[in-house]
Amino acid sequence: LFMSSFLFFLLIHVSKEFLGMHGESEFVSVKISELNHCHGDNNILNNEGELEKVSFCFNVPLLSGKLKNNTIDLIHCTKQAQLVINDFLTSLNSKEDVKNINICIHGFPYSQTECQYSASHWSAGRCQPYEMLKQFNKWTTVAIPKDALIRKQSFSFDCTDMRRSYVEIFEHLQKSSTATLFYIHGGFWQEGTSQINGEAICDLAEEQIRFATLEYRMAPLVTMQEIVNDVIQGVLLLVELSNSKYGSAPIYVVGHSAGAHLICMALSKITNEHNISPIRGIVLLSGVYNLQPLVNSYIGNAVRLTEEVALQYSPIFETQILPQMNDNSMPDLKVLLIVGENESDAFKDQTNSMYNHLLHEASTRNGAVIISKHEAPAEDHLSLVQSLSNSQSWLRKVLKECMES
C-alpha cells in the first residue's frame, strides 16, 4: 500500500511537471492498452501496485495539431482515467489514505481549486465528467436542418497572424429580426468553437431574434491580450453591422464561462470614442472574473497565466466595464449575471463578486443601468448553455423578458 501511494504521488508530481513544461490545457491518465486512442505526448510509468501501466493523455487545443479530434479524445481519455483512478481508490484501506493523496473529491488528480474550476465535475444530472462532455459536444454539433429558412453570413476581420477571426450571423429568410443575440463561447480561452446547436438558432430565428457568434483565436497560439483584442474587434464589427445593415437593432451580448470574462474585458477596453449604444443587454453566464485562482493550475498553465497577467486581465479589478450611455433618452442597459444552481462554489463566488463590483460601478456613473443576479434552477455549467435550445427553459424565459422589457 505504501508503494502504491508513493507511486501515485509520483504520477501526480511528474504529470504536473510535464504539464507545466508543455503548457497543455488538461491531462488525464489512461491504461497503456488504451494509448492507441490518444494522440498526445506519452510518458510511461511502471507501477508494481494498483496502477499497473499508465500513461498521460493530454487534451491539447485542436489548432496545435497534436490531437486529431480534441473533444472526442478528451471524452474517451477522461472515461479511461476515471476507471483507473476508481480502481486505485477501492484498493485503499482507510479514509486517512485518501487524505494523503492529492486528488479531488471526484477522483481526479487535481487540487481542490482545480476541481472547483473543472466544470465537468459538477453535474446537475450526477453523471461522470466524460458523460457531460459527450452530451455537450453532441448538443453543439447539431446542425441547422437543410430545409430551414435560415440565412448565414460570415464577416471576417484581420488579425496579427494569418488566421482570421470572424462573426457569423444567422437570421430568418422570411421574418424580419427585431434584435440580435451575440454569443461568445467559453472553453477557458484554449478550446471550444463558435459552433452552436442548430435547433437553438432556428428556434430563436422563429422568434425574430438574429443570432450572431464570434470565432476568436485561442491559446496557446496567441496571448490573452490577442484573444481580448479579437473580442473587441468582434463587438465593434457587430455594432457597425447593426448600424449599417440592421437599422440599429438592439444587441444583447451573451458570454459563457471564459466568454463572459472576455465580454467584460473587451467592454472595459473599448473607449468612449466608439459608440456602442446598440448594446442594450449584457448576459454573463457562469463567468470567471478574477483569474488569480487559476495561476499555477492546469487551466492557467495552458494560457501562460502569470500573476501579472492575471491581475491585468481580471475584469474584477477594472474600474469601468459598463458602456457609457450619454443620451438619457436611451432605454436602460440591462446586465444579468447568471450561474447554475448545481455549479461549484467557485463559480458562484465569482458571480457574486462581479455582481457587487458592477453594482458599485453603476452607482458612480451616468445613465440608467439595471443589474440583476440569478441562479438558474437545476442547471450546471454546461446544461445552462444547452437550455438555449429549449424555448420553455428558464434561461430562454429570462432572455425573453430582458429583450421585451
Side-chain angles (χ1 to χ4, degrees):
L1 180 61
F2 172 79
M3 180 61 70
S4 297
S5 300
F6 173 76
L7 287 170
F8 195 78
F9 275 123
L10 180 62
L11 166 65
I12 295 168
H13 175 74
V14 173
S15 60
K16 288 192 174 182
E17 289 296 319
F18 199 66
L19 183 66
M21 290 167 55
H22 289 262
E24 312 298 12
S25 57
E26 188 169 0
F27 76 93
V28 292
S29 305
V30 295
K31 291 181 179 178
I32 195 72
S33 60
E34 300 294 338
L35 279 178
N36 60 314
H37 295 283
C38 304
H39 311 286
D41 295 324
N42 301 321
N43 187 22
I44 299 173
L45 289 177
N46 292 321
N47 188 337
E48 297 176 358
E50 295 296 323
L51 292 176
E52 291 186 344
K53 292 181 179 179
V54 297
S55 183
F56 305 129
C57 174
F58 291 92
N59 168 28
V60 185
L62 183 60
L63 292 175
S64 70
K66 290 187 178 180
L67 287 187
K68 294 179 180 178
N69 188 319
N70 190 24
T71 305
I72 298 300
D73 283 346
L74 175 59
I75 292 169
H76 176 83
C77 295
T78 304
K79 182 176 182 179
Q80 294 304 321
Q82 187 71 66
L83 295 175
V84 172
I85 295 171
N86 283 349
D87 288 345
F88 178 79
L89 292 178
T90 57
S91 71
L92 299 178
N93 294 327
S94 70
K95 292 183 179 179
E96 288 301 316
D97 292 326
V98 177
K99 288 181 182 179
N100 293 327
I101 298 176
N102 187 24
I103 58 174
C104 74
I105 60 174
H106 302 95
F108 281 91
Y110 295 147
S111 69
Q112 293 307 312
T113 298
E114 289 172 324
C115 175
Q116 285 282 312
Y117 286 97
S118 297
S120 62
H121 289 199
W122 306 87
S123 166
R126 301 293 186 268
C127 61
Q128 295 281 17
Y130 67 87
E131 293 172 330
M132 287 186 68
L133 292 167
K134 183 176 181 180
Q135 291 171 9
F136 188 70
N137 180 57
K138 182 179 180 181
W139 179 81
T140 58
T141 54
V142 172
I144 297 174
K146 292 182 179 180
D147 59 349
L149 298 175
I150 300 294
R151 174 175 57 234
K152 181 179 81 170
Q153 293 179 289
S154 295
F155 301 88
S156 62
F157 50 89
D158 291 322
C159 302
T160 55
D161 60 19
M162 295 302 293
R163 179 174 176 263
R164 286 187 165 192
S165 296
Y166 55 87
V167 172
E168 280 193 329
I169 297 178
F170 304 84
E171 56 186 336
H172 204 284
L173 284 170
Q174 297 179 352
K175 295 183 178 181
S176 59
S177 300
T178 59
T180 302
L181 194 67
F182 188 26
Y183 177 73
I184 314 294
H185 72 82
F188 278 130
W189 314 280
Q190 59 197 273
E191 57 188 357
T193 173
S194 62
Q195 182 179 3
I196 197 168
N197 184 280
E199 293 176 355
I201 292 173
C202 293
D203 200 34
L204 288 164
E206 285 292 332
E207 296 183 1
Q208 296 180 276
I209 304 298
R210 183 183 298 107
F211 195 87
T213 63
L214 174 65
E215 184 73 14
Y216 56 86
R217 297 170 297 167
M218 291 180 285
L221 295 185
V222 293
T223 64
M224 186 69 76
Q225 178 181 350
E226 290 171 303
I227 297 172
V228 171
N229 285 341
D230 279 5
V231 179
I232 291 172
Q233 291 189 66
V235 169
L236 294 179
L237 174 58
L238 187 60
V239 168
E240 179 185 342
L241 290 170
S242 179
N243 289 329
S244 62
K245 291 175 62 71
Y246 307 131
S248 298
I251 298 171
Y252 296 86
V253 188
V254 179
H256 174 237
S257 194
H261 160 270
L262 290 171
I263 287 173
C264 293
M265 284 307 306
L267 292 176
S268 74
K269 303 299 182 185
I270 295 176
T271 60
N272 291 338
E273 65 188 61
H274 296 285
N275 181 8
I276 57 174
S277 58
I279 297 179
R280 303 307 325 143
I282 302 168
V283 182
L284 306 174
L285 305 177
S286 305
V288 179
Y289 312 105
N290 181 358
L291 305 190
Q292 288 179 310
L294 302 181
V295 175
N296 296 323
S297 71
Y298 77 85
I299 299 166
N301 291 340
V303 294
R304 303 188 289 276
L305 189 67
T306 63
E307 288 284 356
E308 181 181 2
V309 173
L311 283 171
Q312 186 177 0
Y313 289 97
S314 289
I316 198 73
F317 302 122
E318 295 290 336
T319 57
Q320 179 181 318
I321 295 173
L322 303 173
Q324 291 294 319
M325 302 297 175
N326 298 321
D327 186 354
N328 292 329
S329 66
M330 293 292 294
D332 294 339
L333 173 68
K334 303 178 186 68
V335 182
L336 284 68
L337 294 95
I338 301 173
V339 67
E341 177 186 4
N342 290 291
E343 297 202 50
S344 68
D345 290 340
F347 279 105
K348 292 180 179 180
D349 290 344
Q350 290 268 356
T351 295
N352 288 333
S353 296
M354 195 60 182
Y355 171 69
N356 291 327
H357 181 76
L358 292 177
L359 278 180
H360 175 73
E361 180 187 339
S363 69
T364 63
R365 50 157 286 168
N366 296 325
V369 183
I370 299 175
I371 301 176
S372 59
K373 180 182 64 173
H374 309 267
E375 191 169 282
E379 301 290 6
D380 57 47
H381 195 79
L382 300 181
S383 70
L384 180 59
V385 179
Q386 290 171 262
S387 68
L388 277 174
S389 58
N390 178 4
S391 62
Q392 300 303 311
S393 70
W394 179 90
L395 178 60
R396 283 286 295 275
K397 291 177 181 178
V398 168
L399 289 175
K400 186 175 182 179
E401 291 175 3
C402 175
M403 293 180 177
E404 292 180 348
S405 60

